[in-house]
Amino acid sequence: MKKIVKYLLISLIFNSCYSQTIESKFISSINNSTRLTNTNTTITEGRIVISYPNNLNSNFQNIINNYIAEDLQRTNFCEGADSILGFVYEVRYYSDNILSIYKIEYDDYCEFRDDQRYSSINLYYSDGFIYKVNLDFNSDTLKSIINSGIENLPPSEGCELEYNYDSSIKGLLINDKSSYKCFLAVSKICQTELSIGLEENILIANKIQ
């Protein structure tokens, strides 16, 4: 009986020490990953133009292709007979199990305005599943980190708007093993990237495949 209890206790300690959340495994994977190269292609269908990576491993390429298919169905063009709706999938980091993309959506040749919108896509492959990982914007810790970064931003030429945590567009971008950034955008002119340290409690992962 004592042996059984001892075994259960050791097993419990072992599992608690070595079980990791997806968020913590994601951080560890960045520190131990090898960067891969990617190539891009551009397609035009009607008034939609899309530039995207086309040589990713199948796990990631299938998901990006789904995003492309959704973009090709968009119909919210701006005013002007020659206006176009464009998308740029800019790869910031790519390894066997991590993909970080900065996505830019833009209107061009509009009669009254041209505009840009921003988002990020961070994919993580682990144990046969793919997760979408981003900053947890409901985290008070993250809010404090970003607000501190905003306070230390130097004046930006041509930017008359003030960065604000609640109203700015935000997202996680991974550039390399030692460079993690949160991008902030309050307009197509007023945007910046804040270097942040990744912690498990400021990330959120959702399984998508």
Side-chain angles (χ1 to χ4, degrees):
M1 183 68 178
K2 288 183 178 180
K3 288 184 177 180
I4 294 175
V5 172
K6 184 177 180 180
Y7 172 80
L8 291 173
L9 183 62
I10 292 173
S11 177
L12 179 63
I13 294 172
F14 179 85
N15 288 329
S16 62
C17 289
Y18 288 93
S19 61
Q20 287 184 294
T21 64
I22 293 300
E23 290 82 2
S24 64
K25 289 173 68 175
F26 176 70
I27 295 172
S28 298
S29 294
I30 296 173
N31 297 330
N32 296 291
S33 61
T34 301
R35 188 169 195 146
L36 303 176
T37 58
N38 72 280
T39 60
N40 269 40
T41 188
T42 299
I43 60 173
T44 301
E45 288 195 15
R47 295 162 62 189
I48 295 179
V49 180
I50 305 176
S51 174
Y52 68 99
N54 65 338
N55 71 328
L56 306 175
N57 66 49
S58 59
N59 293 319
F60 295 146
Q61 191 68 59
N62 290 339
I63 292 176
I64 296 304
N65 288 348
N66 288 337
Y67 278 100
I68 302 303
E70 291 177 2
D71 293 338
L72 290 172
Q73 301 300 314
R74 297 281 290 275
T75 58
N76 54 325
F77 303 102
C78 61
E79 310 87 353
D82 297 324
S83 66
I84 65 171
L85 180 60
F87 302 89
V88 177
Y89 289 78
E90 179 186 305
V91 174
R92 289 296 184 91
Y93 190 83
Y94 170 45
S95 70
D96 281 335
N97 61 346
I98 297 171
L99 177 66
S100 183
I101 283 180
Y102 183 42
K103 183 179 178 182
I104 304 168
E105 177 184 336
Y106 63 92
D107 301 303
D108 230 341
Y109 306 110
C110 304
E111 287 183 358
F112 306 107
R113 63 179 174 82
D114 291 335
D115 203 3
Q116 290 185 357
R117 295 163 293 280
Y118 316 92
S119 59
S120 64
I121 302 169
N122 297 285
L123 303 177
Y124 177 49
Y125 179 78
S126 176
D127 300 326
F129 299 101
I130 297 179
Y131 299 84
K132 191 171 182 181
V133 182
N134 209 338
L135 297 168
D136 181 1
F137 298 111
N138 292 318
S139 164
D140 290 333
T141 301
L142 178 65
K143 186 170 185 176
S144 177
I145 292 171
I146 293 180
N147 280 332
S148 296
I150 291 174
E151 290 175 2
N152 296 317
L153 283 176
S156 178
E157 185 177 350
C159 181
E160 298 177 356
L161 300 175
E162 292 186 3
Y163 292 101
N164 179 283
Y165 183 89
D166 294 318
S167 62
S168 295
I169 300 169
K170 302 174 287 292
L172 172 65
L173 294 172
I174 303 161
N175 286 341
D176 55 49
K177 294 179 182 180
S178 59
S179 178
Y180 325 120
K181 298 179 184 293
C182 172
F183 75 84
L184 288 173
V186 289
S187 74
K188 64 181 178 181
I189 297 174
C190 300
Q191 55 177 305
T192 189
E193 293 179 9
L194 301 173
S195 295
I196 62 173
L198 289 189
E199 304 170 14
E200 180 182 350
N201 64 329
I202 65 172
L203 292 174
I204 187 165
N206 295 296
K207 185 166 67 175
I208 61 174
Q209 198 176 93

